[in-house]
Amino acid sequence: MNRRLALIATAGLAALVVACATSPTGRKQLRLVSDAEMDEMGVTAFQQMKTKTPPTKDARTNAYVTCVANAITREVPGGRQWEVQVFDDKQVNAFALPGGKIGVYTGLLKVATSQDQLAAVIGHEVSHVLAGHSASRVSNQMASQLGVNILSAASGVDASMIGMGANLLLVLPFSRGDETEADVLGEELMARAGFDPRQSVALWQNMAKASGGNAPPQFMSTHPANETRINDLNAHLSKAMPLYEQARSQGKTPRCS
């Protein structure tokens, strides 16, 4: 049995080494699933979301969000058509999925109070897709589960305890890295679309106020602390502002609000 576990572990390790990839900023990623598989997952998840959460019936809100999203996705290489859905829900949230899907909750519009701030959110979420973060997260979960099963069988330790440790030590740090990367890539993406990247900072200042200081400690969260995000975005403005100025000189002046 121990030899069998060792062979499984060796084979698993070999597969993980072969499946290494690099993100747009040079971070190492694990990729165990193809882009086509991720697209299929994204489309399926989006369809499920649409059956569970009602869309907004406000035509003006739909037009506004779609206008901002379209301006962002026009800057994405490949010319893919992205589907945009505004969900009638109080959550302060949005997401983008592989397969070209974007969802925005109406609750977000109470915190992202301008088209530029909404562009910061959508740019961030689309950047997750462009950087392959969804594939990396699925792959990390697969790899973690493989390790959990092997360790549990070999040691007799309860799998849920190993899983909790793997979540804290592996999944969460990678997730925070993904969030930080999506912040800076999203800041550049919104700038290329003609939205003011300085408003990404204002957005997270609004988010901090909206949270009322109830965010979990950074080491227990999949997201960086608001203060960390604000500092990182401010530091990255030196790269984003020239992209914004170039976009404006090219006539990219979104008027969605």
Side-chain angles (χ1 to χ4, degrees):
M1 177 63 72
N2 287 338
R3 183 179 180 183
R4 183 184 176 191
L5 289 172
L7 289 173
I8 293 173
T10 301
L13 179 60
L16 300 187
V17 171
V18 171
C20 285
T22 304
S23 78
T25 63
R27 294 172 59 239
K28 295 298 182 183
Q29 294 179 327
L30 182 63
R31 297 286 185 90
L32 298 175
V33 289
S34 68
D35 289 342
E37 288 170 325
M38 289 307 305
D39 284 355
E40 184 176 353
M41 291 182 199
V43 170
T44 299
F46 199 63
Q47 289 302 119
Q48 292 174 347
M49 178 67 71
K50 291 198 293 184
T51 62
K52 294 178 180 178
T53 309
T56 182
K57 297 180 180 179
D58 189 322
R60 184 174 179 180
T61 298
N62 263 320
Y64 167 56
V65 173
T66 300
C67 176
V68 174
N70 286 347
I72 291 290
T73 57
R74 276 195 293 269
E75 301 304 312
V76 176
R80 162 178 265 169
Q81 292 295 315
W82 290 67
E83 181 182 358
V84 182
Q85 178 74 64
V86 184
F87 295 103
D88 188 10
D89 193 290
K90 294 180 180 180
Q91 288 188 63
V92 181
N93 206 358
F95 62 86
L97 296 171
K101 309 299 180 182
I102 294 173
V104 174
Y105 296 96
T106 53
L108 174 66
L109 304 180
K110 295 182 179 180
V111 178
T113 57
S114 69
Q115 66 169 15
D116 300 276
Q117 291 179 20
L118 179 59
V121 177
I122 295 176
H124 169 97
E125 298 301 334
V126 169
S127 291
H128 274 310
V129 176
L130 300 181
H133 292 162
S134 299
S136 179
R137 287 179 178 182
V138 170
S139 299
N140 285 331
Q141 290 286 359
M142 292 170 61
S144 295
Q145 192 59 47
L146 173 64
V148 166
N149 291 338
I150 292 172
L151 287 174
S152 180
S155 66
V157 178
D158 183 76
S160 64
M161 294 300 294
I162 298 174
M164 185 181 298
N167 189 51
L168 288 172
L169 296 176
L170 294 175
V171 179
L172 294 189
F174 277 107
S175 294
R176 288 198 297 271
D178 288 351
E179 291 294 337
T180 298
E181 186 171 49
D183 277 345
V184 296
L185 292 175
E187 191 176 59
E188 292 179 7
L189 183 57
M190 69 178 291
R192 289 199 298 269
F195 294 103
D196 187 347
R198 291 168 293 192
Q199 287 299 305
S200 64
V201 176
L203 166 74
W204 283 103
Q205 290 170 338
N206 289 353
M207 288 286 194
K209 292 177 183 176
S211 70
N214 294 322
Q218 183 167 336
F219 80 94
M220 287 290 290
S221 174
T222 58
H223 292 64
N226 290 325
E227 183 178 356
T228 300
R229 302 185 95 142
I230 289 169
N231 291 339
D232 289 345
L233 287 165
N234 262 322
H236 198 71
L237 282 175
S238 60
K239 294 184 178 180
M241 284 303 294
L243 297 174
Y244 171 61
E245 292 163 1
Q246 181 181 23
R248 302 292 279 192
S249 69
Q250 294 171 344
K252 295 178 183 177
T253 54
R255 295 184 176 88
C256 298
S257 55

